[in-house]
Amino acid sequence: MSNITLREAQELLLIDKHQLDIEVEYQPSLANRIGEEMVHCESRRDEAKEAVGVTDAEIANSIRKEATDKGDKVTEAKVASMVLQDPFHKKAMSFYLNLKKEAAIWAVTRADFVARAFMISQMCGLHDTEYFARESVTNSNKVEKVRGLLRERMIEEKDEQRRERVPRR
């Protein structure tokens, strides 16, 4: 099975009330794919965090060696400060923080798919009561256009909410 992008996953959150049988059938495999992507993203994040540690250790050793070769003394506080200012540290940390943010968004999306499963169940109950038997709006082209606009707005709002929820340092 191919990878799924975050955007595709967010679009799949929408439920087609007129095809609940298909929604019910595919929900478990979709939730599984989202979970797998979340795990892969978390794994990449953890690898990036480890890479930051290795990079920082290499930079610190280089700073100490350079100071020793010059006959200078350098405190650990000074080494730590110089490590934080090093371009290699900044690049590694930036990469890690981007993956950390992405992993957090995947985790939220996975939680959204748990909620989606519940909503499908609720909608099936409504279907049993023939709640969807009548169209509330007669012009289906207009309905589809409005739904498309609402989907885009929902996705944009979710993206914005996720950006606001991800902790920044």
Side-chain angles (χ1 to χ4, degrees), residues 55-123:
T55 299
D56 289 355
E58 290 172 351
I59 294 167
N61 286 339
S62 174
I63 292 168
R64 287 186 200 97
K65 183 178 181 328
E66 187 177 318
T68 302
D69 290 348
K70 290 181 180 178
D72 295 337
K73 290 186 176 183
V74 63
T75 65
E76 284 304 308
K78 178 71 174 174
V79 170
S81 174
M82 292 174 74
V83 166
L84 292 177
Q85 296 172 31
D86 189 271
F88 289 109
H89 165 80
K90 289 178 181 179
K91 184 176 179 179
M93 183 58 80
S94 176
F95 184 70
Y96 163 69
L97 291 175
N98 285 332
L99 285 175
K100 182 178 177 183
K101 177 182 174 182
E102 184 181 347
I105 293 170
W106 273 109
V108 169
T109 302
R110 178 140 185 348
D112 291 344
F113 267 85
V114 171
R116 182 182 191 272
F118 177 75
M119 290 310 303
I120 290 171
S121 172
Q122 295 297 309
M123 291 176 85

Side-chain angles (χ1 to χ4, degrees), residues 108-157:
V108 169
T109 302
R110 178 140 185 348
D112 291 344
F113 267 85
V114 171
R116 182 182 191 272
F118 177 75
M119 290 310 303
I120 290 171
S121 172
Q122 295 297 309
M123 291 176 85
C124 286
L126 290 173
H127 179 74
D128 288 346
T129 64
E130 297 184 12
Y131 181 83
F132 301 118
R134 290 175 280 149
E135 282 285 331
S136 60
V137 178
T138 57
N139 187 344
S140 63
N141 289 337
K142 186 175 182 180
V143 171
E144 288 307 312
K145 185 175 181 179
V146 170
R147 282 185 183 150
L149 292 171
L150 287 173
R151 284 182 187 125
E152 283 299 314
R153 186 172 295 148
M154 282 176 37
I155 290 169
E156 289 170 5
E157 288 174 359

